[in-house]
Amino acid sequence: MVSVARVDQALTGSRQPPADPLDVKPPLPIDQLPAAWQARHRQGLRAAAVLVALLGDLEAPDVLLTERAHHLEHHPGQISFPGGRVEMYDDSLAATAMREASEEVGLDASNARVLGYLPTQWTVSGYAMTPVVAHIPASGDAWRWELDPGEVASAFVVPSAFLFDPGNHKVGTREIEGKRYANVEIDWEGQTIWGVTARVIALISKAISDK
């Protein structure tokens, strides 16, 4: 079982957001990345935040995931956490993550409790993405999603006990520009979670197992 308390304990040393949300290294040396990714890196990264929302029960919370709209330029149809670019009017990375979750799926995060932050992740679309982990208690109408079709094709929850179990993670590969790259993958009810989203999940799994 993966309770909110276990995640909270695992993030004890990560209570404060990064001092510089653009301070992030790519997952591989730049010269080993596909040419398109190298170009985005040279153009400069943009700060972003995503919400890793632990929903409902303290002892067995669910984790919110979204399926990105299939017409989007970047990561169409991929499974992700709600989130997006930091805007000038956001007063914190947590505010960005909560705002984006509200805009994308209608999640009311007004009673959210931020547990901590994970290391900022470099994304292939040119973002420095900071994951914000928070617990959101169930409300009377949980969980009725109000999707923004311009951003999200669907939203669903996965039990934390399944998602953060390393036994459910596998190493796969993806071919990009004729080369294959190692990749963490998690299968859930016909959906495959991979890329930076799976990387974030693996980080939480490791933090929990290290405690």
Side-chain angles (χ1 to χ4, degrees):
M1 181 178 296
V2 179
S3 65
V4 171
R6 283 190 65 188
V7 178
D8 193 19
Q9 181 185 21
L11 296 176
T12 298
S14 307
R15 301 291 190 220
Q16 298 300 316
D20 180 1
L22 294 177
D23 182 16
V24 57
K25 295 180 180 179
L28 292 171
I30 292 295
D31 60 1
Q32 294 181 25
L33 294 170
W37 299 6
Q38 294 183 42
R40 293 189 186 110
H41 180 79
R42 286 193 295 270
Q43 291 167 3
L45 299 178
R46 294 162 289 178
V50 297
L51 180 64
V52 183
L54 307 182
L55 303 177
D57 190 82
L58 286 169
E59 294 303 318
D62 292 322
V63 181
L64 171 63
L65 291 168
T66 65
E67 177 190 5
R68 289 173 58 82
H70 291 254
H71 65 267
L72 294 174
E73 178 183 359
H74 299 302
H75 315 291
Q78 287 190 22
I79 305 305
S80 66
F81 296 109
R85 181 173 58 193
V86 173
E87 301 291 354
M88 292 180 60
Y89 45 78
D90 293 330
D91 59 13
S92 66
L93 290 169
T96 297
M98 305 295 180
R99 172 182 57 77
E100 288 284 345
S102 175
E103 293 174 356
E104 291 182 10
V105 302
L107 178 67
D108 179 4
S110 59
N111 59 351
R113 179 168 70 95
V114 174
L115 305 179
Y117 301 82
L118 294 169
T120 301
Q121 303 294 305
W122 191 94
T123 77
V124 300
S125 49
Y127 287 94
M129 184 199 80
T130 302
V132 181
V133 185
H135 174 242
I136 302 175
S139 61
D141 58 354
W143 305 101
R144 294 171 58 186
W145 310 122
E146 298 177 6
L147 306 182
D148 175 0
E151 297 285 340
V152 178
S154 67
F156 58 98
V157 296
V158 180
S160 58
F162 177 92
L163 200 62
F164 299 139
D165 181 352
N168 295 321
H169 305 174
K170 62 183 182 181
V171 177
T173 60
R174 298 274 168 166
E175 183 173 329
I176 302 170
E177 295 183 5
K179 295 183 179 180
R180 300 199 72 85
Y181 295 86
N183 180 74
V184 177
E185 297 187 356
I186 306 164
D187 292 324
W188 169 258
E189 296 189 348
Q191 298 278 19
T192 298
I193 306 163
W194 63 285
V196 69
T197 302
R199 196 187 317 155
V200 169
I201 293 168
L203 284 174
I204 297 175
S205 299
K206 185 178 187 305
I208 292 171
S209 64
D210 286 347
K211 289 297 181 179

